[in-house]
Amino acid sequence: MRYEIAVIPGDGIGPDVVREALGVLDAVGARFGREFRFTSNLMGGAAIDAEGVPLPASTLAACRESHAVLLGAVGGPKWDALPGAKRPEAGLLGIRSGLGVFANLRPAFMFPELAAACPLRPDIVSGGLDILIVRELTGGIYFGERGRSSDGLSAWDTERYSRSEIERLLEVAFEAARDRNKKLCVVDKANILESSRLWREVAASVAPNFPSVELSFMYVDNCAMQLVRNPRQFDVIATSNMFGDILSDEASMLTGSIGMLASASLGDGGPGLYEPIHGSAPDIAGQDKANPLATILSAAMLLRYSLHLEDEAKAVEKAVASVLAKGLRCADIKSGAASERVLGTRAMGKAVVDEIREARS
Ligand code: IPM
Ligand code: MG
């Protein structure tokens, strides 16, 4: 069977890191005898420049017809002055919602080799870190009603969640916790927000279906603090769109760098969307400086969740671990140790490809 993958390089470092991930998928295809077909699609600033809209209908259609979507990053200063609905980020929200990928899995996993890149005291992270943030992705304040008063002197955005939106997200989170270390923490602001109180009610109603999972609740401000005080207390964190956006950036840094964090966005059976959690870093775009590993690890998630190619996914993750074990680093994850060699984007991608090839012989 041939796997159709819709690719959206996007803006800034997006094309740099996506190019390396495609090289890795090609190497996986060669090693395991799989055929991947890639189509390149416009979104974000690149689409605004070429077609005048951040998400052309042809892009969404191509994504819907594929088995999975691999995305780099969108946005940049060039488009910052545009009104909200015309910005590159509107394309990103449009594709998430257009594909119905409501559950965003963001694993904050620390490769043991990168312990020195973690900004926390070694004793706080000794034994490693393995947290999965399950972020709601197609609802909440990102998609709620927003506007400005006619005099322009006030503005509003709305956090709104329905029972069914919360329930389907929490089911994914409970299932993940059941299959991992059996702890689920629902993070909210239930001391203030009515929508958070609904999240708690729904969590309590779903919990009996997952008797092996220990459910707890935590306010988001406390969670932000606990993540740096004692991150090893967490297994799976489930939270709303905006809280998940914020906490996943924080958690990523604990693993060494935001340049390492992959993500999978899943819906009800349609194509999944895979993207690094970092942004488009326009300041280093096209300079062979970006770390491609988050996108390469996103490609591994794509193999696992959308194509159900578990051995292939593991091969990619293993190749990344081997590269790190050899002391190869991008600038964002170097610790300065003499045993390290700092590589650019292309050389890092090639190092992962070489690992995959070598493992074959
Ligand atoms: C992310 C990003 C996006 C988000 C931006 C670029 C709109 O920060 O994927 O975390 O807020 O979801
Ligand atoms: Mg973010």
Side-chain angles (χ1 to χ4, degrees), residues 42-285:
L42 290 173
M43 200 182 89
I48 294 170
D49 289 352
E51 305 200 9
V53 288
L55 177 60
S58 56
T59 293
L60 186 55
C63 292
R64 284 192 172 131
E65 282 161 21
S66 66
H67 292 105
V69 182
L70 183 68
L71 166 67
V74 295
K78 183 175 174 193
W79 307 282
D80 273 352
L82 291 169
K86 300 204 160 139
R87 291 173 60 103
E89 292 81 359
L92 185 56
L93 265 56
I95 196 146
R96 288 172 176 173
S97 131
L99 294 176
V101 288
F102 59 85
N104 180 216
L105 312 184
R106 297 190 160 191
F109 174 76
M110 185 165 85
F111 285 87
E113 294 80 8
L114 291 187
C118 170
L120 299 183
R121 263 194 347 253
D123 60 293
I124 299 181
V125 289
S126 82
L129 268 190
D130 185 4
I131 302 171
L132 177 67
I133 297 183
V134 182
R135 169 189 177 193
E136 200 290 324
L137 202 62
T138 54
I141 199 165
Y142 273 56
F143 291 89
E145 191 211 325
R146 66 182 102 250
R148 275 193 188 226
S149 58
S150 48
D151 62 7
L153 297 180
S154 63
W156 64 92
D157 300 273
T158 321
E159 174 83 341
R160 184 185 183 114
Y161 272 112
S162 69
R163 254 194 119 79
S164 59
E165 284 175 308
I166 302 167
E167 197 169 73
R168 65 186 183 176
L169 187 275
L170 288 177
E171 270 163 12
V172 172
F174 267 107
E175 279 167 18
R178 179 193 63 203
D179 299 342
R180 287 170 45 105
N181 296 312
K182 321 252 178 284
K183 286 200 313 191
L184 173 64
C185 183
V186 172
V187 172
D188 60 28
K189 191 70 186 173
N191 47 350
I192 298 291
L193 302 180
E194 193 55 33
S195 53
S196 291
R197 292 190 272 272
L198 184 60
W199 272 72
R200 289 199 179 201
E201 277 170 43
V202 176
S205 72
V206 177
N209 301 333
F210 297 89
S212 65
V213 176
E214 179 198 320
L215 171 66
S216 63
F217 298 99
M218 193 180 275
Y219 298 142
V220 63
D221 48 348
N222 185 24
C223 181
M225 184 269 278
Q226 295 293 340
L227 275 170
V228 290
R229 192 186 77 90
N230 175 20
R232 284 176 51 80
Q233 70 186 282
F234 296 106
D235 175 21
V236 178
I237 290 174
T239 192
S240 63
N241 204 340
M242 186 153 80
F243 293 161
D245 178 45
I246 299 167
L247 294 175
S248 59
D249 266 35
E250 185 186 2
S252 75
M253 233 14 244
L254 306 181
T255 71
S257 166
I258 192 164
M260 292 299 298
L261 236 80
S263 88
S265 305
L266 309 173
D268 278 326
L273 173 66
Y274 299 83
E275 49 174 322
I277 82 156
H278 62 65
S280 61
D283 52 320
I284 57 164

